[in-house]
Amino acid sequence: IDDQTIQVSEDGTFNFVKEIEGPVFLDISYANLEWPVFLSPESSLDIQISGKSLDAVEYRGDLVASNTYLLGTEPITREINAFFNENWVQIHQQDQLAYISTIDSLKGVYLKHLTADSEKYQSFSKTFTEAWTTEINFSFNKLLLYYPRNHLSFTGERVELSEPSISYVKLQEIDRPDYIDLPSYKDYTEDWIDYQAEVLVMEEPSVKHYNLMKMDAVSMLIPEIFTNQYLRDYWYSEYLKAHIENNGLPNSLPYIKHFEAS
C-alpha cells in the first residue's frame, strides 16, 4: 500500500495507518492485482480480500461506495493505457486541435463513467467526486503540456500552445493545498510552472544564463499562480533547492534572499 510492504499476520489480518490532511488516492498491489483506494481525513476503511481477483475485494466502513466504484475503473485504465502504447507517435503527429480533441475524448471516458449511473453517483461523497474529477483533469491536462515538445520530436515542426489551448489546460485547483497529495498534482503543477517559465524565458532578450533567467521567471510566476501562502512557499522552495544543487550557492543568493523576504 502506498509503496510500503504491509505484513499480514497469521490470522490473515493487516493494518495500515496514514496521516493525511486532504483527500488521497493510494495504490494497492496484492498478488498480480493493482487498484486505487480513496481516503479522506478521519476516514476508516476495512478491506476484505478473499481471492486473487478484483471481484474478490470488498469494503466496509467509510467511503464504501466510492472505493467500490474505483474497482470498476481498472478496465478503463488498461484500455486507455493500451491506446497510448499503440498510438503515442500518431496522436502527437496530429495538429493541435486534433490532439486536444483526442486527449479530451479520453478524459471524457472517465468523466462519463463517473456520472453514468445517477443513483450510484449520488451515493458518493462530495469530497470523492471533486477529488477524482480533479485527479482526472491533472492526469490528462499535463499531457497537453507535453504536446509542443512531443510534436516537435515526432514531426520536426515547432508549435506553441494557442491561447484557447492554454486556457483549457490551466486548472485553478493547483491553488488548493488540500489537493497537494493527489497522485498527479505535483507532476501537473510542475509542468504548468515550467511551461509558463519557458514562455517568459523565450520572450526575454537577455544574455543572462538560461538557468538564471528561468529562476527569474519562476520568482515572478509563483506569486501570480498561487494565492495560498503555503503553496507559494512550497513551490518556490522546490525550485530554489534544485537551483542551488545545479548552479551552486553564489548563483542562488539573490533567490534565497527573495524567498526569505516573501
Side-chain angles (χ1 to χ4, degrees), residues 125-180:
S125 70
K126 182 180 179 182
T127 302
F128 168 74
T129 55
E130 290 181 352
W132 182 238
T133 300
T134 300
E135 170 62 15
I136 292 168
N137 284 326
F138 284 153
S139 299
F140 284 92
N141 282 32
K142 71 179 181 181
L143 296 176
L144 301 176
L145 292 168
Y146 299 161
Y147 173 74
R149 180 183 64 201
N150 288 335
H151 186 75
L152 174 64
S153 176
F154 296 130
T155 67
E157 180 185 10
R158 190 176 299 278
V159 295
E160 295 182 4
L161 292 178
S162 66
E163 285 300 323
S165 297
I166 292 173
S167 296
Y168 177 81
V169 172
K170 182 179 180 180
L171 296 172
Q172 300 292 344
E173 290 84 353
I174 63 173
D175 199 21
R176 287 186 54 173
D178 54 326
Y179 283 163
I180 195 170

Side-chain angles (χ1 to χ4, degrees), residues 73-114:
T73 64
E74 288 307 286
I76 299 175
T77 299
R78 289 197 300 271
E79 183 178 347
I80 289 179
N81 286 343
F83 175 83
F84 277 134
N85 289 335
E86 295 171 8
N87 301 281
W88 188 252
V89 173
Q90 293 91 322
I91 64 175
H92 284 93
Q93 289 175 333
Q94 298 178 113
D95 63 39
Q96 188 168 158
L97 287 177
Y99 178 79
I100 291 176
S101 178
T102 299
I103 299 301
D104 193 52
S105 296
L106 296 172
K107 183 200 296 187
V109 173
Y110 277 107
L111 297 176
K112 289 176 184 176
H113 185 262
L114 177 64

Side-chain angles (χ1 to χ4, degrees), residues 177-222:
D178 54 326
Y179 283 163
I180 195 170
D181 289 323
L182 292 183
S184 297
Y185 171 86
K186 291 177 182 176
D187 284 345
Y188 167 81
T189 305
E190 184 175 1
D191 289 337
W192 175 250
I193 296 171
D194 284 345
Y195 180 83
Q196 296 291 316
E198 184 69 19
V199 170
L200 291 180
V201 168
M202 296 301 292
E203 292 175 349
E204 178 62 46
S206 173
V207 294
K208 186 186 288 189
H209 190 278
Y210 171 84
N211 291 345
L212 299 178
M213 292 173 64
K214 180 177 179 181
M215 198 62 198
D216 289 343
V218 167
S219 300
M220 183 172 62
L221 284 168
I222 285 180

